[in-house]
Amino acid sequence: MTSHHVLFVLMSLIWGVTWTATKAALAAVPPMFFGAARYILVSALLLIVVRNVHRVFRDGRALRVIATGMLVIVATYGFLYWGMLFVPSGVAGVVNMSMNPVFFFALAILFRQERPTWRHAGALVL
């Protein structure tokens, strides 16, 4: 077993535990509040850790970064956490990860970076 295997197992355990912790937290607080609180805390920690954060705000991209962050919270995790009120956390995790390529492709089509073909549709269905 190499160090890559150990790191993969560790990452899988951490990722799996976060879904269980999220499910437990949703029993106590509303989903949108939990999502907002989680990402506000993470954002604050990232601001401390990241050394090049001043470039984001100096280049005039602050509004875009804030808007993107809000979309991630509300459009992605807010609804995901709401759904976790009704399904097991493992199902929510699998659905979340499997829908990422679908939504990214939809955004690429929306912003005209990709043209949909039957080949793309087949790959997404698969």
Side-chain angles (χ1 to χ4, degrees):
M1 192 171 202
T2 68
S3 64
H4 293 292
H5 292 105
V6 172
L7 290 173
F8 178 76
V9 169
L10 182 62
M11 179 198 64
S12 298
L13 287 172
I14 291 170
W15 186 77
V17 169
T18 61
W19 290 102
T20 305
T22 298
K23 186 71 172 181
L26 290 174
V29 296
M32 294 295 180
F33 175 80
F34 178 75
R38 178 181 175 192
Y39 282 97
I40 287 170
L41 176 65
V42 168
S43 297
L45 290 172
L46 282 175
L47 286 173
I48 293 168
V49 172
V50 175
R51 302 212 188 274
N52 295 327
V53 76
H54 64 278
R55 268 196 248 158
V56 171
F57 296 104
R58 184 180 55 203
D59 293 344
R61 292 182 283 171
L63 184 60
R64 190 168 31 173
V65 169
I66 291 168
T68 302
M70 292 305 294
L71 284 172
V72 166
I73 292 167
V74 175
T76 304
Y77 284 97
F79 290 118
L80 176 68
Y81 295 155
W82 173 77
M84 285 180 68
L85 294 173
F86 307 102
V87 299
S89 59
V91 171
V94 169
V95 169
N96 176 47
M97 294 311 291
S98 64
M99 293 306 293
N100 283 338
V102 174
F103 289 128
F104 286 137
F105 186 63
L107 283 173
I109 292 170
L110 181 68
F111 290 112
R112 299 183 181 175
Q113 295 175 347
E114 289 283 344
R115 287 188 3 234
T117 65
W118 287 107
R119 185 175 175 192
H120 289 119
L124 290 174
V125 168
L126 181 62

